[in-house]
Amino acid sequence: MTGADGAEQQPPVTVMVVDDHPMWRDAVARDLGEAGLRVVATAGDGPEAIRRARAARPQVLVLDLNLPGASGVRVCKEVLAVDPAVRVLVLSASGEHADVLEAVKSGATGYLLKSAGRDELVDAVRRTAVGDPVFTPGLAGLVLGEYRRLATEPPPPAADGTAAPRLTDRETEVLRLVAKGLSYKQIAARLVISHRTVQNHVQNTLGKLQLHNRVELVRYAIEAGLDDDRGTCADGDM
């Protein structure tokens, strides 16, 4: 898509909004639409959300946790099982640590409280679409702490007993910065490479390690000791 000035424009981010309160659901969908995002579907309960997400295939699923029929956590797991490319942003009234951690373990990319303002929500959806972890202030530290706790547990043995696949030096650099909690944009700036290149390295690493999402990737990185304070070079991309 090309704009009037000849510059290439990216198509709008596609979003699905799931919430059992119709007025809230409609308000969120309206705010996102007015901000230039494309709302492709909405749903008011768990089973409906799973069906419609499979059909609409949104880039971002804005998901409440407290849903009739099936919990938001179950929706997240089932949608990602069918389409791992979907990014899930939980938008919940609950800031309980157990809810946050359960959502992230189920595959959610971010977690935002419903007290967030309109601009904060729109920015969170855009960042979630490119894979950046987005959390209401105060929750990011909680999640990173849980990553570290999980990393102290012995990793499960490989199913076939084979050794872990070898990563390139650049993939290892990116993985180290992911483990430290940096966003893809911050990693790109640190390593002087493009945002898309960072995404490609992360996807390649997920494939090599047979992992499914950023949660599993960070756990692997911490288990491998890649979250220490060793510096990384900032030369060109390999």
Side-chain angles (χ1 to χ4, degrees), residues 140-165:
L142 164 71
V143 174
L144 185 56
E146 178 67 4
Y147 286 151
R148 294 181 184 278
R149 185 193 69 77
L150 289 173
T152 64
E153 299 176 356
D160 56 3
T162 58

Side-chain angles (χ1 to χ4, degrees), residues 154-214:
D160 56 3
T162 58
R166 181 175 177 83
L167 302 179
T168 67
D169 290 343
R170 179 60 88 187
E171 287 167 350
T172 302
E173 285 182 310
V174 171
L175 184 56
R176 179 177 294 119
L177 296 177
V178 167
K180 291 181 178 180
L182 274 67
S183 70
Y184 292 171
K185 183 177 180 181
Q186 290 170 322
I187 294 172
R190 178 77 65 89
L191 299 180
V192 197
I193 57 179
S194 71
H195 186 284
R196 184 172 295 277
T197 298
V198 173
Q199 288 181 286
N200 289 340
H201 283 314
V202 170
Q203 290 303 314
N204 289 341
T205 302
L206 287 171
K208 285 184 177 181
L209 300 177
Q210 296 185 350
L211 303 176
H212 301 94
N213 53 52
R214 188 180 177 115

Side-chain angles (χ1 to χ4, degrees), residues 29 32 35 46 86 116 132 141 164-165 168 178 182 229 231:
L32 296 178
V86 176
D132 284 349
T168 67
V178 167
L182 274 67
D229 294 327

Side-chain angles (χ1 to χ4, degrees), residues 71-157:
S71 69
V73 166
R74 179 181 164 192
V75 172
C76 184
K77 290 179 178 178
E78 295 207 16
V79 169
L80 292 178
V82 173
D83 187 0
V86 176
R87 308 291 188 184
V88 178
L89 174 64
V90 171
L91 183 61
S92 174
S94 171
E96 293 293 325
H97 290 184
D99 289 336
V100 178
L101 295 177
E102 189 175 14
V104 174
K105 289 175 184 177
S106 73
T109 301
Y111 195 108
L112 205 62
L113 295 180
K114 286 186 174 181
S115 57
R118 176 183 181 275
D119 291 345
E120 186 178 359
L121 171 61
V122 171
D123 179 65
V125 171
R126 294 189 189 281
R127 290 173 58 196
T128 298
V130 297
D132 284 349
V134 182
F135 294 92
T136 291
L139 298 182
L142 164 71
V143 174
L144 185 56
E146 178 67 4
Y147 286 151
R148 294 181 184 278
R149 185 193 69 77
L150 289 173
T152 64
E153 299 176 356

